[in-house]
Amino acid sequence: MLVGDSTMLGMAYGGNDARSIVAASYSLTYDAASCRRVLAPSCRGHGVIPLSVVPTMQQYAGRLGSVVVVMAGYDDIDISAGVDAVLAEAARQGVQRVLWLDYPTSV
């Protein structure tokens, strides 16, 4: 499962759709939305308020696979509780690994 905000949404744009590169080696579910937050209600995005990461994981219950890749958090003020909630949801669903991509600690 790949779940993220606009930074991950960028995988779907450009000459080569990066999702197809990943899908060539891995079975994946991809859900990215502009302005997605980790735990707090997401911001507006492009006219649609997306689910935050944890409810998105819950929406895919039983279909997350063994690894969840999170590329979100830029729209959050503090992701501490969000990280704990993502890890708890992953454990609840039997996910073996959670990978967090591209998040600076100095925001």
Side-chain angles (χ1 to χ4, degrees), residues 69-88:
V69 178
V70 179
M71 194 169 181
Y74 289 102
D75 298 300
D76 291 272
I77 294 170
D78 179 5
I79 66 165
S80 305
V83 170
D84 292 341
V86 167
L87 294 177

Side-chain angles (χ1 to χ4, degrees), residues 31-75:
D31 193 316
S34 178
C35 216
R36 173 173 278 146
R37 291 186 175 148
V38 178
L39 182 61
S42 295
C43 40
R44 184 178 49 81
H46 294 285
V48 175
I49 298 173
L51 292 173
S52 59
V53 172
V54 174
T56 299
M57 291 171 68
Q58 293 167 341
Q59 180 179 347
Y60 288 97
R63 299 177 286 154
L64 294 180
S66 60
V67 177
V68 170
V69 178
V70 179
M71 194 169 181
Y74 289 102
D75 298 300

Side-chain angles (χ1 to χ4, degrees), residues 3-55:
V3 60
D5 59 18
S6 59
T7 57
M8 184 175 276
L9 191 58
M11 291 178 69
Y13 295 101
N16 291 323
D17 186 336
R19 295 174 300 176
S20 62
I21 296 168
V22 176
S25 298
Y26 301 96
S27 173
L28 67 91
T29 301
Y30 171 87
D31 193 316
S34 178
C35 216
R36 173 173 278 146
R37 291 186 175 148
V38 178
L39 182 61
S42 295
C43 40
R44 184 178 49 81
H46 294 285
V48 175
I49 298 173
L51 292 173
S52 59
V53 172
V54 174

